[in-house]
Amino acid sequence: MKQSFKQSGLAGVFTVLLTLLSACSSGGQGAGSGAKPAAEDPNQAAVRELVVGLSLDTLLEERWKKDRDLFKAAVEKLGAKVDVQAANGDDAKQIAQAENMISKHVDVLVVVPHDAQVSAAIVAKAHQAGVKVISYDRLILNADVDLYVSFDNEKVGELQAEALVSKVPRGNYVLIEGADTDNNAHMFKRGQMKVLQPLVDRGDIQIVYDQFTKEWKPVNALANMKTALAANRDAIDAVIAANDGTAGGVVGALAERRLAGTTPVTGMDAELAAAQRIVEGTQTMTVYKPIRKLAETAAALAVQMAEGKKVSTDKTVFNKKIDVPAILLEPIAVNRTNIDATIIADGFHSREDVYRNVDN
């Protein structure tokens, strides 16, 4: 009995071992015979979603809310997630927010810098963690930026100056530029001066006031324009305002002197208030930068970089340290004659909203 029990027990052990060996052998052969790989096993953990970090200077302006929404929608359509943080003009906060996103292991970081110089710290911290950085619309200076996606910003300045010269080929000009800390503001001005300088040299145009606008704030543009008017006893023939926010400040100052609508004023960004001023006649033009195209282009490239794929460009922009690979889109001049065919036709603003004050 005892011998029979031992034999039976040994047979059971051998049976179990053979079963286990057969199962292992079957599992090993399964990968080559149509069985699902381990990674595809529904019981295994899902592959981690790619995450794109978006660090914004501000969400206090209409323009940047549109960028955020369009960029987020485009990234999510491509199957990735977006972590959005906005510093609202605070450099220390923007750096801290970027560090937070980096610590949460975003796969790529897209930055709209508040201060072009200070934001170099964000690039350095991202690279230490192996995260690539895209400079969105505004160029980060003195940093090893991986990609710059924007518009041809010197062309923006050229379009602004050309619009005014066509109306006022001679006279006193005022330049109300953007924030001195924003590299784009300097690029806009370079473009403006390409058009204006030959006329200044010839004596046709006199630049009687030239000032940057701290933080791009309309209230600061208003103060600058009041100073310009007082210094020149209202003898101002044309005003180049760098964007629609500063244009709003300029028009406000002109309105106080009953000059709104008689002194041409430029802008940029095609904000709704600016579009309304154009149809009312108090702002001459704006520069439309098709933000949907910018956001969707940047989103596609961000996901591509997050996946570890190489991005190639045919342009570079020097940021005082390196020639940054760049994608530069074309801006469009918008005035009373083509506003319907541009920003309204694109669905950027509805016709009802743009013409609300005129139609009523």
Side-chain angles (χ1 to χ4, degrees):
M1 290 288 291
K2 288 182 181 179
Q3 186 178 5
S4 173
F5 175 78
K6 286 179 182 177
Q7 288 174 345
S8 174
L10 287 171
V13 170
F14 284 130
T15 301
V16 170
L17 287 172
L18 287 170
T19 301
L20 290 171
L21 288 170
S22 175
C24 290
S25 174
S26 174
Q29 292 173 355
S33 60
K36 284 186 178 181
E40 293 182 15
D41 188 334
N43 296 320
Q44 298 292 323
V47 177
R48 187 179 73 84
E49 255 184 319
L50 293 174
V51 180
V52 177
L54 176 60
S55 171
L56 290 164
D57 162 23
T58 184
L59 282 173
L60 298 178
E61 295 177 20
E62 173 193 325
R63 152 76 202 276
W64 297 110
K65 291 176 183 177
K66 285 181 178 288
D67 284 84
R68 175 200 59 191
D69 295 344
L70 291 167
F71 181 85
K72 187 172 183 293
V75 169
E76 290 174 348
K77 189 175 181 180
L78 292 169
K81 294 173 66 176
V82 184
D83 185 351
V84 181
Q85 308 225 13
N88 294 333
D90 186 326
D91 289 318
K93 187 175 182 180
Q94 186 167 30
I95 291 172
Q97 289 175 338
E99 286 178 329
N100 175 259
M101 287 189 277
I102 293 165
S103 71
K104 290 193 293 186
H105 307 294
V106 294
D107 296 284
V108 66
L109 186 59
V110 179
V111 180
V112 180
H114 171 252
D115 187 301
Q117 299 276 3
V118 173
S119 295
I122 294 175
V123 180
K125 291 174 187 295
H127 283 180
Q128 286 171 8
V131 176
K132 292 187 181 297
V133 177
I134 297 175
S135 200
Y136 181 102
D137 196 52
R138 300 174 180 171
L139 183 61
I140 300 172
L141 302 179
N142 289 308
D144 296 317
V145 178
D146 297 287
L147 181 66
Y148 174 45
V149 184
S150 186
F151 290 89
D152 185 337
N153 290 311
E154 287 196 17
K155 181 67 174 178
V156 169
E158 290 176 30
L159 293 174
Q160 292 171 329
E162 287 167 354
L164 288 199
V165 168
S166 68
K167 286 185 170 296
V168 185
R170 294 179 179 81
N172 292 340
Y173 272 56
V174 165
L175 308 185
I176 303 294
E177 302 293 354
D180 191 30
T181 55
D182 182 351
N183 186 62
N184 277 11
H186 295 274
M187 296 174 81
F188 300 147
K189 187 172 183 178
R190 281 201 296 272
Q192 294 159 10
M193 294 312 296
K194 280 184 182 178
V195 176
L196 297 180
Q197 194 61 54
L199 298 171
V200 170
D201 293 342
R202 205 158 63 212
D204 292 342
I205 285 175
Q206 296 78 41
I207 297 176
V208 296
Y209 186 86
D210 180 359
Q211 187 62 258
F212 284 98
T213 303
K214 188 176 181 180
E215 304 288 339
W216 286 99
K217 290 183 177 178
V219 66
N220 295 330
L222 173 68
N224 285 339
M225 192 60 204
K226 284 184 175 181
T227 300
L229 286 162
N232 293 279
R233 298 182 180 181
D234 293 354
I236 291 169
D237 300 299
V239 184
I240 293 183
N243 76 343
D244 292 334
T246 55
V250 168
V251 171
L254 290 171
E256 290 181 10
R257 302 293 186 101
R258 298 184 179 179
L259 295 171
T262 62
T263 305
V265 179
T266 69
M268 177 194 68
D269 288 336
E271 290 186 355
L272 178 58
Q276 291 170 339
R277 288 193 296 267
I278 288 171
V279 298
E280 290 166 2
T282 57
Q283 184 170 327
T284 308
M285 62 87 72
T286 186
V287 178
Y288 173 42
K289 302 194 295 188
I291 294 171
R292 180 179 297 278
K293 188 172 183 181
L294 174 67
E296 291 179 350
T297 298
L301 293 168
V303 171
Q304 191 175 329
M305 289 173 70
E307 292 171 339
K309 297 176 182 175
K310 186 177 179 181
V311 172
S312 59
T313 71
D314 60 357
K315 292 184 178 70
T316 60
V317 176
F318 185 63
N319 74 344
K320 298 186 178 180
K321 183 177 182 182
I322 64 168
D323 288 319
V324 181
I327 304 290
L328 301 179
L329 307 176
E330 282 293 311
I332 302 167
V334 174
N335 55 36
R336 186 66 177 80
T337 65
N338 71 344
I339 196 167
D340 288 62
T342 52
I343 61 175
I344 292 174
D346 280 0
F348 193 69
H349 296 304
S350 71
R351 192 179 194 284
E352 179 185 8
D353 286 340
V354 169
Y355 286 88
R356 179 177 297 159
N357 297 333
V358 173
D359 292 344
N360 291 340

